Amino acid sequence: MHLRNVLAAALLLTGLAACSSSASDGRAPVPAAVSPAELKKVTLRVGDQKGGVKSLLTAANQLNGTPYRIEWSTFTSGPPLLEAASAGAIDVGRVGNTPPIFAAASKAKISVVSVAKSNVERETVLVPPDSPLTDVASLRGKTVGVAKGSSAHGQLLNTLKKAGLSTKDIKISFLQPSEAFAAFTQHQIDAWAIWDPYTAQAQLEAHARVLADGRGASNGLAFETASTTALADPGKNSAIKDFVQRVVKAQLWSNSHPDEWARAWAAETGLKPEVAKKAVSAGRDRPIPLDDAVVASEQQLSDAFTNEGTLPGKVDFAAFVDRRYGPDIEAARRNG
């Protein structure tokens, strides 16, 4: 009897070890891949912002032959996209560096699964062409428009900090990009913290002037972020694994085909061709490993929000990172 108990315990421990070995970074076990026949039954619900990912994949011919169906949804910025992911309304979507931090603070059911780095000079604080403001210090007491919890919010926080200010030294008007553009052109706000293609649009259509950009204030990171529910589903997990590799290949393709991507972006979203071209030519995403340096950089940004009182407590960003697709993404980077 005793021997049978020992054997049963050993088998249990072996089973637990097997489950543990299939997990990613201590998170839930990774589901086994599904068969091609099962994958054909999957609908992957993808969140997008201003058509950026869809147009890029289209231009790079990375939507051809997907072994699953894709259902697209468009969001005004990262925070509502991640709200939808946490609620299970979408499976995966691309956001900037700050939305996952705010989502983590609210205990959202999401994980970042891949990362790219963009040109931080296109993350800007803009002022109208006739503005008397000449530097960041002159923002004291002024009204600045920004989307709450967006990458621009993080860039604004660090830009002010560099100038010896905090968000308490300005008046923040939380506006989504379309609302902010109207407020900016009508001089209802003094400045606007924003990213491309809105930076390009404001420069070309409203002759906006860059008061500050993201150099020294932003890490330029953007993440593919998935719902934990989708990651736990065998079919969705297999589809996301394929999808993030296609995004990496498209990002690498865009480095040598900016004009093709700009045309596809304009066609997809109705952006003026010159706006899309300026946004694309200014800098494209470069896929990088989702490594400890990325996690540390995000933790630093998260702590900055906590220290300023914007977030109620400390966020452990590493707990919202899932590196299960790392080897596949690296292979796509090498062969893309």
Side-chain angles (χ1 to χ4, degrees):
M1 190 73 172
H2 175 70
L3 180 59
R4 283 199 300 271
N5 289 340
V6 170
L7 288 172
L11 289 171
L12 177 60
L13 288 173
T14 301
L16 289 173
C19 288
S20 175
S21 66
S22 67
S24 175
D25 299 325
R27 300 178 67 79
V30 178
V34 300
S35 68
E38 288 298 315
L39 191 55
K40 285 182 179 179
K41 301 176 184 177
V42 173
T43 295
L44 187 66
R45 299 166 301 169
V46 182
D48 202 2
Q49 295 183 59
K50 203 66 176 176
V53 174
K54 185 180 180 182
S55 64
L56 175 61
L57 290 169
T58 300
N61 292 318
Q62 286 296 325
L63 290 180
N64 296 337
T66 52
Y68 45 86
R69 180 173 174 267
I70 297 180
E71 181 181 282
W72 295 91
S73 298
T74 301
F75 295 84
T76 55
S77 64
L81 187 155
L82 292 189
E83 288 177 12
S86 182
I90 62 169
D91 303 313
V92 65
R94 181 183 184 276
V95 298
N97 61 2
T98 304
I101 292 172
F102 276 68
S106 66
K107 309 300 181 186
K109 298 175 182 178
I110 58 97
S111 292
V112 298
V113 295
S114 70
V115 61
K117 192 173 181 65
S118 60
N119 180 5
V120 297
E121 291 184 40
R122 302 308 297 167
E123 297 180 48
T124 58
V125 177
L126 302 175
V127 294
D130 56 352
S131 172
L133 304 179
T134 57
D135 56 21
V136 176
S138 60
L139 286 173
R140 186 185 294 273
K142 304 300 182 182
T143 301
V144 182
V146 68
K148 185 175 184 178
S150 68
S151 60
H153 196 177
Q155 189 252 345
L156 176 62
L157 174 72
N158 284 330
T159 296
L160 293 169
K161 186 177 179 181
K162 281 174 56 183
L165 302 177
S166 77
T167 54
K168 297 177 179 61
D169 294 310
I170 64 172
K171 300 172 185 176
I172 294 185
S173 179
F174 288 124
L175 299 167
Q176 290 298 316
S178 59
E179 301 168 319
F181 183 75
F184 181 81
T185 55
Q186 296 169 20
H187 288 73
Q188 295 172 354
I189 55 177
D190 300 298
W192 182 21
I194 193 58
W195 60 90
D196 261 335
Y198 303 103
T199 291
Q201 182 183 18
Q203 287 179 312
L204 291 174
E205 297 180 12
H207 308 292
R209 175 164 52 87
V210 176
L211 189 70
D213 60 37
R215 286 175 291 184
S218 173
N219 57 20
L221 301 177
F223 298 96
E224 287 295 336
T225 309
S227 78
T228 55
T229 301
L231 291 171
D233 178 86
K236 300 279 191 180
N237 172 64
S238 293
I240 295 170
K241 176 181 175 179
D242 176 83
F243 181 80
V244 295
Q245 292 177 75
R246 290 173 185 267
V247 170
V248 166
K249 291 175 182 177
Q251 289 169 337
L252 295 172
W253 171 89
S254 73
N255 291 330
S256 55
H257 299 82
D259 290 341
E260 290 96 319
W261 180 27
R263 285 196 292 270
W265 200 359
E268 175 67 34
T269 63
L271 279 173
K272 291 183 178 179
E274 58 269 26
V275 170
K277 186 172 183 178
K278 182 176 179 63
V280 167
S281 63
R284 293 162 293 284
D285 287 343
R286 175 171 55 88
I288 62 174
L290 184 54
D291 57 19
D292 291 345
V294 167
V295 175
S297 181
E298 285 294 287
Q299 187 63 53
Q300 187 177 41
L301 178 58
S302 172
D303 291 344
F305 275 109
T306 298
N307 293 337
E308 188 155 277
T310 304
L311 295 179
K314 185 177 178 66
V315 171
D316 180 12
F317 189 80
F320 292 83
V321 173
D322 193 317
R323 308 186 202 193
R324 68 178 66 182
Y325 306 125
D328 306 288
I329 291 170
E330 182 58 30
R333 287 207 311 147
R334 288 197 307 267
N335 302 323

